[in-house]
Amino acid sequence: MIDNVIHDVKEPYLLTPGPLTTSHATKAAMMRDWGSWDEDFNQVTASIRAQLLAMAEAPSDEYACVPMQGSGTFAVESALACATDPNDKVLVLMNGAYGKRAAQLLDMMGRRYVTLDKGDYLPPQPKEVAALLRQDSEITTVFLVHCETSSGILNPLESIAEVVRAHGKTLIVDAMSSFGGVPISVVQTPIDVLISSANKCIEGVPGFGFVIIRQTLLAAGKGRAHSLSLDLHAQWDYMERTGQWRFTPPTHSVVAFQAALAQHREEGGVAGRCARYTRNRDALVKGMQALGFSTLLDDEWLSPIITTFLSPSDPAFEFGVFYATLKARGFLIYPGKLTEVESFRIGCIGQLGITVIAQLLSAIQEALTEMGVSLLANLSAHSGSA
Ligand SMILES: *Cc1c(COP(=O)(O)O)cnc(C)c1O
């Protein structure tokens, strides 16, 4: 079905982790202007908040959903400012750019933290987290990135959440690039704060993020924020009292998101979306391996969101040329974000299916031929390995 979406405007497919390729219905929802204080718009906001709580299976008497204007980082910043105070100490689990960014945010707001830095792509292990929590009783809070988009790794959320709960600590999860595309249930997995945004797996357009947060934590966060505009408690309080966003909302993005949520439901919710993304990922990885590429990660850590491929060692391969050749054929891919090795990333999310992946694979083959890159050496070296 998705593969039959007709792009009547010639625009490239975004094989990126967001902003991503959105449907016509989502784009069309933006062709109207809305009063930010009007009851019609307030209803959209209320409906989105309720749907997001339901998607997280978060009981509405224990959790609140608070949308926040801006990109995903704005939501992370507002959540950290609300859910931690200067007496807390946060254990930041890092294996990529987004874990690093959380530490940087805590720095800027004067919160104490320690890190477990696993480098570019190794997962934090529940045992290591347990050992750190035993060693340092001052730690109050653990921060985990669910899918670390810099490598595409899906970190072991469930097992780490169990460890955090066993120690009676608070768990904050950056589920930016996984929520809506990978099942996450707040009732099954003890998560206190969950953060995501409009333009990832729910396939809306950029403009806001949202925080699903335990109401007791939200109440404790009153007056803690270091920032006027990123005060999550104040945003929630105002929304509860008036139904409105505290400052100008991204109205078009919000109504587009409402349309995107309806399509998410029609596709079978998180399970349906996860199945499509997994098919995309499997077709992509299989096709790329057949061309001689290898993935950075072992199969067990591959997320259905985005995959990192190692750049071929053949000196004829040049990412800039590769990128431009694919762009000319209608596909935008993503540069790598690793510190050690040359790589690039290809996303599996957005309004696309395996037909588009097959077209992309042909374009990649053509690009390699054009550059004169031979991957046969790679292929024999990696055959059989994950
Ligand atoms: C996209 C993303 C963010 C937010 O990035 P923005 O550029 O601020 O939208 C945060 N964490 C993860 C894991 C992400 O994938």
Side-chain angles (χ1 to χ4, degrees), residues 30 34 36 41 44-45 48 67-71 198 205-209 235 239 245-257:
M30 292 187 284
W34 297 73
S36 65
F41 183 73
V44 176
T45 300
I48 281 172
M68 180 57 76
Q69 295 94 330
S71 84
V205 304
F208 67 99
Q235 173 90 320
M239 234 172 225
W245 298 52
R246 194 168 57 124
F247 303 129
T248 301
T251 45
H252 297 78
S253 169
V254 172
V255 295
F257 191 69

Side-chain angles (χ1 to χ4, degrees), residues 136-153:
D136 186 348
S137 60
E138 286 195 334
I139 294 171
T140 53
T141 309
V142 176
F143 180 93
L144 173 72
V145 180
H146 186 204
C147 173
E148 180 43 92
T149 324
S150 1
S151 65
I153 190 170

Side-chain angles (χ1 to χ4, degrees), residues 48-76:
I48 281 172
R49 293 175 68 200
Q51 289 178 71
L52 289 171
L53 279 181
M55 195 181 288
E57 297 181 358
S60 59
D61 55 344
E62 279 177 56
Y63 287 84
C65 173
V66 191
M68 180 57 76
Q69 295 94 330
S71 84
T73 304
F74 294 52
V76 176

Side-chain angles (χ1 to χ4, degrees), residues 49-271:
R49 293 175 68 200
Q51 289 178 71
L52 289 171
L53 279 181
M55 195 181 288
E57 297 181 358
S60 59
D61 55 344
E62 279 177 56
Y63 287 84
C65 173
V66 191
M68 180 57 76
Q69 295 94 330
S71 84
T73 304
F74 294 52
V76 176
E77 182 163 349
S78 69
L80 286 174
C82 178
T84 66
D85 93 355
N87 296 319
D88 288 334
K89 189 171 186 180
V90 185
L91 168 60
V92 181
L93 306 178
M94 297 203 291
N95 54 351
Y98 294 103
K100 287 203 179 103
R101 189 175 298 174
Q104 195 184 358
L105 288 167
L106 290 166
D107 242 350
M108 298 204 74
M109 52 184 93
R111 304 293 200 256
R112 299 190 302 157
Y113 68 91
V114 288
T115 64
L116 171 65
D117 190 350
K118 302 291 292 185
D120 271 350
Y121 56 86
L122 293 175
Q125 299 289 349
K127 264 195 216 150
E128 298 174 295
V129 177
L132 287 166
L133 292 178
R134 268 197 309 274
Q135 267 165 39
D136 186 348
S137 60
E138 286 195 334
I139 294 171
T140 53
T141 309
V142 176
F143 180 93
L144 173 72
V145 180
H146 186 204
C147 173
E148 180 43 92
T149 324
S150 1
S151 65
I153 190 170
L154 198 61
N155 283 318
L157 168 63
E158 286 78 10
S159 52
I160 288 176
E162 281 311 325
V163 168
V164 174
R165 174 178 30 205
H167 286 79
K169 311 297 182 189
T170 299
L171 179 62
I172 304 177
V173 179
D174 172 349
M176 202 71 64
S177 61
S178 56
F179 186 65
V182 177
I184 302 176
S185 163
V186 164
V187 275
Q188 279 171 35
T189 306
I191 298 169
D192 300 289
V193 183
L194 185 135
I195 311 153
S196 188
S197 79
N199 62 291
K200 305 249 173 162
C201 296
I202 300 169
E203 300 185 353
V205 304
F208 67 99
F210 51 88
V211 182
I212 291 170
I213 179 169
R214 208 178 271 286
Q215 285 172 16
T216 49
L217 270 175
L218 188 57
K222 184 178 182 181
R224 269 184 189 168
H226 62 303
S227 154
L228 176 75
S229 50
L230 297 178
D231 186 332
L232 195 75
H233 181 275
Q235 173 90 320
W236 169 78
D237 184 54
Y238 191 84
M239 234 172 225
E240 289 294 304
R241 286 187 288 108
T242 66
Q244 298 166 25
W245 298 52
R246 194 168 57 124
F247 303 129
T248 301
T251 45
H252 297 78
S253 169
V254 172
V255 295
F257 191 69
Q258 173 85 319
L261 279 170
Q263 295 155 49
H264 187 273
R265 231 182 3 259
E266 281 159 25
E267 196 178 345
V270 179

